[in-house]
Amino acid sequence: LEVYGIFLVIGFFCALFRTAWIVSGGVACSRKLYSMMTNHVLHAPMLYFETTPLGRLLNRFTYDAEILDVTLVWSMSMLLIASSWFFTALVVIVVILPWMIIVMIPVSICYWMIQLHYRKSGADLQRLDALS
């Protein structure tokens, strides 16, 4: 019973740390993006304001703010959760079956190559989504 209590306390502090990190990171990113966007818009040439409708400009501001406030915070949370599950599983597997590290190295390399391909195509898909 004492072991479960220790796990509970460790889990609580990890969740607390994760939440604090996500909130502080999200606020810092939002501040930086908003100040950069405002700075660029205020220093834009007058031709930009004559050709760009005000509604498009406001949509751009609100869309980027929504992405940062909602999507980025959720993505950071999922990254921490998935990473902790992944590394915990690796440690348990290596402790139980030490020879599995020989199999994990090529699998990790394949996973890394797939991840690099997905990130490139994911960025292109987000760019297309932002245009439509």
Side-chain angles (χ1 to χ4, degrees):
L1 194 59
E2 188 175 302
V3 174
Y4 292 122
I6 293 171
F7 283 146
L8 181 68
V9 170
I10 290 172
F12 173 75
F13 282 111
C14 287
L16 185 67
F17 171 74
R18 181 186 77 210
T19 303
W21 183 67
I22 289 169
V23 169
S24 65
V27 168
C29 287
S30 293
R31 282 184 182 161
K32 185 172 183 177
L33 176 77
Y34 189 75
S35 67
M36 287 175 55
M37 285 175 58
T38 305
N39 187 30
H40 282 98
V41 167
L42 291 177
H43 289 95
M46 199 61 181
L47 180 66
Y48 175 75
F49 294 105
E50 292 172 356
T51 58
T52 306
L54 185 60
R56 184 178 299 164
L57 189 64
L58 287 175
N59 280 342
R60 188 76 232 173
F61 265 81
T62 57
Y63 178 75
D64 289 345
E66 177 192 357
I67 292 296
L68 268 180
D69 292 342
V70 177
T71 308
L72 183 68
V73 170
W74 181 82
S75 296
M76 287 171 53
S77 177
M78 289 298 112
L79 171 71
L80 281 177
I81 291 170
S83 297
S84 65
W85 288 349
F86 177 71
F87 288 119
T88 302
L90 285 181
V91 168
V92 168
I93 289 171
V94 169
V95 166
I96 294 173
L97 302 168
W99 56 270
M100 281 296 291
I101 204 161
I102 297 169
V103 176
M104 285 184 191
I105 292 173
V107 170
S108 298
I109 292 171
C110 289
Y111 177 78
W112 185 259
M113 291 170 60
I114 291 170
Q115 179 261 345
L116 288 176
H117 174 71
Y118 172 76
R119 285 189 62 197
K120 290 177 185 175
S121 61
D124 290 338
L125 287 174
Q126 284 182 342
R127 201 171 297 119
L128 288 173
D129 182 43
L131 290 176
S132 62

